[in-house]
Amino acid sequence: MDRKAPDAARRSERSRRAIFEAALSLVGEVGYQRLTVEGIAARAGVGKQTIYRWWPSKADVLLDAFTADADVEGYAAGLPDSGDLAADLKAVLRATVDEFRDPAFQAPYRALAAAGAADEQLSARFVERLLEPGMRAYVERLRAAQEAGEIAAWVDPRIAAEMVLSPFSQRWLMRTGELTYSFTDSLVDTALAGFRPRPS
Amino acid sequence: MDRKAPDAARRSERSRRAIFEAALSLVGEVGYQRLTVEGIAARAGVGKQTIYRWWPSKADVLLDAFTADADVEGYAAGLPDSGDLAADLKAVLRATVDEFRDPAFQAPYRALAAAGAADEQLSARFVERLLEPGMRAYVERLRAAQEAGEIAAWVDPRIAAEMVLSPFSQRWLMRTGELTYSFTDSLVDTALAGFRPRPS
């Protein structure tokens, strides 16, 4: 048995975590444009070759750092389904309000979103890795509610999901309004009141 | 009578237009970070003191350049009101799809939006001068429809306006989906079907 392998794996995992933490804190401080692989390496206490061995660019480090986040992994498991669509959506959106108010989460996410808005290549990967899995979780939860008869058959779950999520994203990204529980509750209530099946 | 005054006014207006065109074309080419008052002055064929006489910063030039645009002034006059809410919203959103597909409009607007996403001070002015007047025009059109009995009394026009407009803005800014007439028509149909008064 080779006893070194597990130690090496633990060391790698420690370096990987340190690199992720360095990338997320640095991009929040200096912005995406001024973030460099050298800067990440210095803060993480590793050589830059260690980073280049695993990731071709700073964008790849950042996207992996975000994806390693528990909330993003949470999306892959889908939204909660208690059988009460309104309660589930409100709970998830309230948790999202908390998350987006947390500076440690917000600063790097905003830096990446702003850079993605300007840079088409980066945004394609940002969408694929982060935005689309989140949206898909909402679409699937709405489709399940539709199958359960909670929302009407004529509703397109994708359009419905965008009508619930995009006002939140837009308020956050462009700072067009407050992000409060009362706002997200209203979004859910307004959408669901409209999407309820009507007695025929 | 002083015959020079009208000539001076015409020259000023010509310079102002040249400065706006230079600012809008340059920011689309180099991005907001690398845009400078010197660069705008050089392209417009004026001295940079001419710009500083009228505007304190590049952000002010850009915001005025956008606001001078006919479509933004159009918002101040409100959305069309033919008495058919669905037709009016679809027409305005289809025109917006065309506008956001036009590279001459899109590139500078995107540069400014991306910079605003990262810069809180800039975004406050971007919202006040551009985003909020547009949103308000939708809110007022929805409120008029509510008074005419086209949408139900329980609907909050502000939330409803965000549910129609933000999915469009989000798809455009983060490139999360296609901007087609079929998408904007769906948004209008889905929202209005939900917001129609129900027979009691």
Side-chain angles (χ1 to χ4, degrees):
Chain A
M1 297 281 285
D2 181 357
R3 292 177 54 202
K4 278 184 195 156
D7 284 352
R10 260 197 301 277
R11 271 198 307 275
S12 284
E13 179 55 26
R14 246 194 335 261
S15 296
R16 209 177 69 102
R17 289 274 150 203
I19 290 164
F20 286 170
E21 277 165 31
L24 292 174
S25 63
L26 262 179
V27 74
E29 290 164 28
V30 303
Y32 182 79
Q33 302 311 323
R34 293 194 299 173
L35 182 74
T36 59
V37 166
E38 287 74 7
I40 299 169
R43 178 159 302 186
V46 303
K48 72 176 178 174
Q49 286 317 315
T50 303
I51 296 183
Y52 281 124
R53 198 185 318 142
W54 291 327
W55 296 280
S57 73
K58 67 181 182 182
D60 297 279
V61 180
L62 266 182
L63 290 169
D64 273 359
F66 270 109
T67 316
D69 182 287
D71 290 309
V72 175
E73 283 168 14
Y75 275 136
L79 259 50
D81 189 346
S82 70
D84 179 341
L85 178 63
D88 292 345
L89 292 181
K90 284 180 186 177
V92 172
L93 283 166
R94 283 176 173 224
T96 310
V97 168
D98 294 340
E99 190 178 58
F100 277 72
R101 275 181 179 163
D102 171 5
F105 173 88
Q106 214 221 170
Y109 200 78
R110 178 178 292 285
L112 200 53
D119 174 341
E120 188 159 356
Q121 268 212 316
L122 177 62
S123 90
R125 300 161 74 194
F126 184 61
V127 169
E128 183 194 334
R129 296 288 299 277
L130 288 160
L131 299 185
E132 191 56 29
M135 184 62 79
R136 231 173 3 239
Y138 278 81
V139 172
E140 279 157 24
R141 182 66 188 85
L142 286 166
R143 188 167 287 133
Q146 198 166 38
E147 280 159 16
E150 270 197 284
I151 66 176
W154 62 264
V155 175
D156 175 341
R158 172 82 199 196
I159 295 287
E162 292 188 37
M163 287 173 72
V164 171
L165 261 185
S166 297
F168 177 92
S169 308
Q170 188 70 7
R171 278 195 179 199
W172 173 69
L173 191 59
M174 303 311 297
R175 304 184 186 80
T176 47
E178 294 289 304
L179 291 183
T180 59
Y181 291 170
S182 127
F183 167 62
T184 54
D185 286 359
S186 270
L187 274 177
V188 172
D189 286 334
T190 305
L192 296 192
F195 298 158
R196 261 199 326 264
R198 294 166 188 235
S200 54
Chain B
M1 297 280 285
D2 182 356
R3 292 179 52 202
K4 277 184 196 155
D7 284 353
R10 260 198 300 277
R11 272 198 307 277
S12 284
E13 180 55 26
R14 248 197 331 263
S15 296
R16 210 178 69 102
R17 289 275 150 200
I19 290 164
F20 286 171
E21 277 166 31
L24 293 174
S25 63
L26 262 177
V27 74
E29 291 164 27
V30 305
Y32 183 79
Q33 302 312 323
R34 293 195 299 172
L35 182 74
T36 60
V37 167
E38 287 75 6
I40 298 170
R43 178 158 305 185
V46 303
K48 73 176 178 175
Q49 286 318 315
T50 302
I51 296 182
Y52 281 122
R53 198 183 318 143
W54 291 326
W55 296 280
S57 73
K58 67 180 182 181
D60 297 278
V61 180
L62 265 182
L63 291 169
D64 273 357
F66 270 109
T67 316
D69 184 285
D71 290 309
V72 175
E73 285 170 10
Y75 275 134
L79 259 47
D81 189 346
S82 70
D84 179 342
L85 177 64
D88 292 346
L89 292 181
K90 284 181 185 176
V92 172
L93 283 165
R94 283 178 173 222
T96 310
V97 167
D98 293 341
E99 191 177 59
F100 278 72
R101 275 181 178 161
D102 171 5
F105 173 87
Q106 213 222 169
Y109 199 79
R110 178 179 292 284
L112 201 54
D119 174 342
E120 189 159 357
Q121 268 213 315
L122 177 62
S123 90
R125 300 161 74 195
F126 184 61
V127 168
E128 184 195 335
R129 296 286 301 276
L130 288 160
L131 299 185
E132 191 58 28
M135 183 63 80
R136 229 170 9 235
Y138 278 81
V139 172
E140 280 157 23
R141 182 64 188 85
L142 287 165
R143 189 167 286 132
Q146 199 166 37
E147 281 159 15
E150 272 197 285
I151 67 177
W154 60 264
V155 175
D156 174 341
R158 173 79 198 198
I159 295 286
E162 292 189 37
M163 286 173 73
V164 171
L165 261 185
S166 296
F168 177 93
S169 308
Q170 185 71 5
R171 278 196 180 199
W172 173 69
L173 191 59
M174 303 312 297
R175 303 186 187 81
T176 47
E178 294 288 306
L179 291 183
T180 59
Y181 291 171
S182 125
F183 167 62
T184 53
D185 286 359
S186 272
L187 276 177
V188 173
D189 286 335
T190 304
L192 297 192
F195 298 158
R196 260 198 327 264
R198 295 169 187 233
S200 55

